Amino acid sequence: MIIIGRTALIVFAHQERTSFNFAMKEAAQAALEKKGWTVLVSDLYEMKFNAVMSRDDIRGEPKEPSDFKYVAETLVAWKEGRLAKDIEEEHKKVAKADLVIFQFPLQWFGLPAIMKGWVERVFSAGFAHGLQTKYSEGPFKHKKALLSFTTGGRKPMLSPRGISGDINVILWPMQNGMLNCCGFKVLAPQISYGVMHVTQEARVEMLKNWEKRLETIWDEKPIRFLPNQDFENTTGGLVLKTEVEEANSADKYGPTVGQNLGKPLPPDSQLKSQGSGL
Ligand SMILES: Cc1cc2nc3c(=O)[nH]c(=O)nc-3n(C[C@H](O)[C@H](O)[C@H](O)COP(=O)(O)OP(=O)(O)OC[C@H]3O[C@@H](n4cnc5c(N)ncnc54)[C@H](O)[C@@H]3O)c2cc1C
């Protein structure tokens, strides 16, 4: 099936054109375009993307120059069209995108600094999240996103018995704290484990599998996160409703990696699509 009119944004972080990450980015672009997608790319090192939050992220005078608060100032600047030009350019790309793919090497169990900086500056207050518009009510609730990353560690190392620990725990801050927080429907991550340790044939197979997956990526169901209505406002902020906790009481596992209720983590819940589609 040819998809007409969908747009993908690939946010890409690797310095080298000879890298496996670059090959994954190229493969994604080609596979999506073949299916009729418009593909936008933010090649962060190539752009020399400024990854550092600062007062320069707003144009014009701050509202409170002697007590500058980044979130409050950028929120007002966003409303008034006074954010830095490079942030505005990235906002336009995100606004157009139905699907955002992050392609990167896992570094220190997370995003490379340049990509973390992109998230910090581009997923700005108002545009990407607000007090009333977070998680399942986030501004990007009609968009999908996925993390495609390579690791140095081989798969068993990133398991509950491995030295790096359970990959689901590593994924939770990025997939919940970043993507789900802004409302994205999060698709299962594409993880290319131990890319420098496997054979050339295995890497070629990884690229082929990625291209194949992308042919029908839009039809995939997202990973399950708890909806906002499962939480209630308390003096300590939003917490899980007692009735939701009680409904889980017979289950062996906690509901999610984060809302685990002190129980074993639901196995591979950050790796598998479980929820309903858009
Ligand atoms: C600061 C830092 C922190 C890190 N933290 C972690 C961590 O927390 N956890 C972890 O697991 N790892 C970590 N790593 C390792 C890192 O994740 C890996 O180095 C990275 O994932 C490798 O990806 P790459 O694209 O750079 O691979 P490359 O080394 O560029 O490529 C791997 C192999 O693929 C080959 N290749 C390139 N293109 C193709 C193609 N088209 N077809 C087939 N083969 C191809 C290359 O020639 C090479 O042999 C860290 C690394 C750094 C620098």
Side-chain angles (χ1 to χ4, degrees), residues 110-141:
L111 304 177
I114 198 166
M115 185 176 267
K116 183 78 187 307
W118 185 93
V119 172
E120 288 180 353
R121 293 182 67 232
V122 175
F123 286 177
S124 64
F127 175 71
H129 56 87
L131 277 182
Q132 307 301 326
T133 52
K134 265 190 171 43
Y135 293 100
S136 56
E137 290 307 317
F140 301 152
K141 64 184 178 183

Side-chain angles (χ1 to χ4, degrees), residues 14-24 104-110 149-154 157-158 164 170 192 194-200 203-204 207:
H14 201 291
Q15 306 89 329
E16 302 301 333
R17 297 303 180 249
T18 49
S19 67
F20 192 72
N21 271 274
F22 185 78
M24 288 290 282
F104 61 97
L106 189 70
Q107 293 188 182
W108 295 116
F109 282 26
F149 59 92
T150 58
T151 70
R154 278 164 281 189
M157 288 169 64
L158 291 142
S164 297
I170 294 172
S192 307
V195 283
M196 55 277 219
H197 304 297
V198 300
T199 62
Q200 177 68 5
R203 285 191 292 266
V204 169
L207 286 164

Side-chain angles (χ1 to χ4, degrees), residues 21-232:
N21 271 274
F22 185 78
M24 288 290 282
K25 191 270 287 179
E26 292 280 280
Q29 187 166 3
L32 288 169
E33 283 175 352
K34 200 165 153 195
K35 282 284 169 185
W37 289 70
T38 299
V39 182
L40 310 171
V41 178
S42 286
D43 184 342
L44 302 183
Y45 288 102
E46 181 72 18
M47 294 158 69
K48 299 198 186 328
F49 187 79
N50 169 21
V52 180
M53 290 164 51
S54 77
R55 286 186 178 211
D56 294 341
D57 291 352
I58 63 165
R59 288 178 285 140
E61 279 305 300
K63 297 289 171 196
E64 299 284 349
S66 59
D67 187 22
F68 188 94
K69 299 277 190 285
Y70 186 89
V71 172
E73 293 283 354
T74 51
L75 175 61
V76 176
W78 171 70
K79 286 180 184 162
E80 296 176 355
R82 293 189 295 105
L83 281 172
K85 291 286 180 199
D86 64 339
I87 297 178
E88 286 186 350
E89 287 307 309
E90 297 308 295
H91 277 187
K92 282 183 208 156
K93 293 184 203 167
V94 174
K96 279 187 200 152
D98 301 293
L99 169 69
V100 181
I101 297 174
F102 293 84
Q103 179 65 54
F104 61 97
L106 189 70
Q107 293 188 182
W108 295 116
F109 282 26
L111 304 177
I114 198 166
M115 185 176 267
K116 183 78 187 307
W118 185 93
V119 172
E120 288 180 353
R121 293 182 67 232
V122 175
F123 286 177
S124 64
F127 175 71
H129 56 87
L131 277 182
Q132 307 301 326
T133 52
K134 265 190 171 43
Y135 293 100
S136 56
E137 290 307 317
F140 301 152
K141 64 184 178 183
H142 299 299
K143 299 180 187 291
K144 297 181 181 181
L146 84 84
L147 305 177
S148 173
F149 59 92
T150 58
T151 70
R154 278 164 281 189
K155 195 171 178 182
M157 288 169 64
L158 291 142
S159 75
R161 290 181 58 224
I163 185 121
S164 297
D166 189 342
I167 188 70
N168 290 276
V169 175
I170 294 172
L171 285 163
W172 178 259
M174 295 185 278
Q175 295 194 155
N176 181 60
M178 180 179 106
L179 301 178
N180 182 43
C181 180
C182 298
F184 282 112
K185 300 289 181 286
V186 184
L187 301 182
Q190 185 74 17
I191 309 178
S192 307
Y193 288 101
V195 283
M196 55 277 219
H197 304 297
V198 300
T199 62
Q200 177 68 5
E201 291 70 34
R203 285 191 292 266
V204 169
E205 196 61 25
M206 286 175 182
L207 286 164
K208 272 198 205 146
N209 290 341
W210 178 220
E211 287 166 5
K212 183 87 193 131
R213 180 182 174 194
L214 286 161
E215 287 177 11
T216 52
I217 194 84
W218 189 253
D219 303 330
E220 289 188 12
K221 305 282 186 228
I223 287 169
R224 178 174 168 271
F225 293 94
L226 297 181
N228 289 7
Q229 60 263 30
D230 282 1
F231 298 86
E232 63 188 346

